[in-house]
């Protein structure tokens, strides 16, 4: 009986060590998953920041481009107004000269309109780029939310495994007899 008691005690110690090892393994796994979740979250936040910076940079470039074109257009408008005044004054002096200058002013106005049209097209292009970047940012946000859901699922699985481990511990109680 002493030998059986000694064997049972040895077996129980071995099982206690196994249970302890399983708990340590479970804790390491939980720590690893938490660390990976944090790392993934940091990466997602960094990626989102990069996308937001890119969107903001695109918006800024588009805004600056539109502002440059507006300044150019304002300068060209002022130039056109000065030229028109000169043409009016010259018309009183010489009708033939006026017709020639009027022709030049029309050509300049057409060029200005073409440039203004290009500026509007470019502004529309940059607005499209900004919208596409915003959609990309939204897509990354969805990916981040999906990853968070997966992490929550894994944490739930860990809790289930810990619960199963805790339930197995009572099943391997000291009342079990070793098979000799």
């Amino acid at each position: 009986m002493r030998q059986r008691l000694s064997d049972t005690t040895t077996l129980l110690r071995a099982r206690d060590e196994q249970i302890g090892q399983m708990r340590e393994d479970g804790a390491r796994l939980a720590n690893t998953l938490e660390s990976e979740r944090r790392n993934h979250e940091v990466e997602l936040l960094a990626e989102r920041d990069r996308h937001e910076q890119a969107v903001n940079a695109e918006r800024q470039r588009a805004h600056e481009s539109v502002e440059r074109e507006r300044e150019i257009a304002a300068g060209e408008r002022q130039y056109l107004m000065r030229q028109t005044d000169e043409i009016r004054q010259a018309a009183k002096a010489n009708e033939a000269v006026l017709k020639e200058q009027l022709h030049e002013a029309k050509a300049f106005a057409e060029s200005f309109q073409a440039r203004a049209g290009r500026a509007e097209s470019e502004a529309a292009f940059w607005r499209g780029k900004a919208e596409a970047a915003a959609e990309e940012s939204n897509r990354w946000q969805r990916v981040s939310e999906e990853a968070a859901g997966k992490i929550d699922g894994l944490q739930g699985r860990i809790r289930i495994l810990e619960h199963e481990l805790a339930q197995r511990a009572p099943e391997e109680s000291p009342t079990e007899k070793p098979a000799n």
Side-chain angles (χ1 to χ4, degrees):
M1 289 297 275
R2 284 184 187 157
Q3 182 59 41
R4 289 184 79 187
L5 179 59
S6 175
D7 291 346
T8 301
T9 302
T10 301
L11 179 63
L12 287 175
R13 282 187 193 132
R15 288 197 178 172
D16 285 344
E17 287 176 14
Q18 286 177 338
I19 290 170
Q21 186 62 42
M22 291 172 116
R23 285 186 179 144
E24 288 174 13
D25 291 345
R28 274 195 303 277
L29 178 60
N31 287 338
T32 300
L33 285 174
E34 179 60 22
S35 175
E36 287 180 14
R37 183 195 65 78
R38 276 189 242 121
N39 289 341
H40 184 67
E41 187 175 297
V42 167
E43 289 173 10
L44 287 175
L45 289 174
E47 187 64 27
R48 187 178 72 196
D49 288 344
R50 281 193 295 277
H51 280 285
E52 286 176 2
Q53 289 172 358
V55 167
N56 289 337
E58 288 295 325
R59 284 183 184 150
Q60 183 63 31
R61 279 195 290 276
H63 177 72
E64 289 171 359
S65 176
V66 168
E67 287 302 315
R68 278 193 306 273
E69 291 299 323
R70 285 182 183 160
E71 289 172 8
I72 290 169
E76 290 177 348
R77 262 188 237 113
Q78 289 177 354
Y79 173 75
L80 185 59
M81 290 173 69
R82 281 192 307 269
Q83 192 170 11
T84 303
D85 287 340
E86 290 173 8
I87 290 171
R88 284 184 188 146
Q89 292 172 7
K92 293 176 184 176
N94 190 337
E95 189 174 320
V97 173
L98 174 64
K99 288 181 180 180
E100 180 62 29
Q101 289 178 348
L102 182 58
H103 178 70
E104 291 174 6
K106 286 181 181 180
F108 179 78
E110 289 172 1
S111 170
F112 172 76
Q113 288 175 344
R115 289 183 71 187
R118 286 192 301 271
E120 289 174 1
S121 295
E122 186 175 319
F125 169 78
W126 287 113
R127 278 193 296 274
K129 286 280 240 181
E131 290 170 3
E135 289 175 10
E136 180 71 10
S137 178
N138 288 338
R139 187 179 70 77
W140 278 107
Q141 180 64 32
R142 288 191 300 274
V143 167
S144 174
E145 291 168 1
E146 289 173 8
K150 288 179 182 179
I151 288 170
D152 289 343
L154 288 172
Q155 288 175 339
R157 180 70 180 142
I158 288 171
R159 285 191 292 276
I160 290 169
L161 291 173
E162 288 175 341
H163 180 71
E164 289 176 2
L165 182 62
Q167 287 181 338
R168 286 184 187 171
E171 291 175 6
E172 298 174 1
S173 67
T175 59
E176 292 181 1
K177 296 181 182 177
N180 286 345

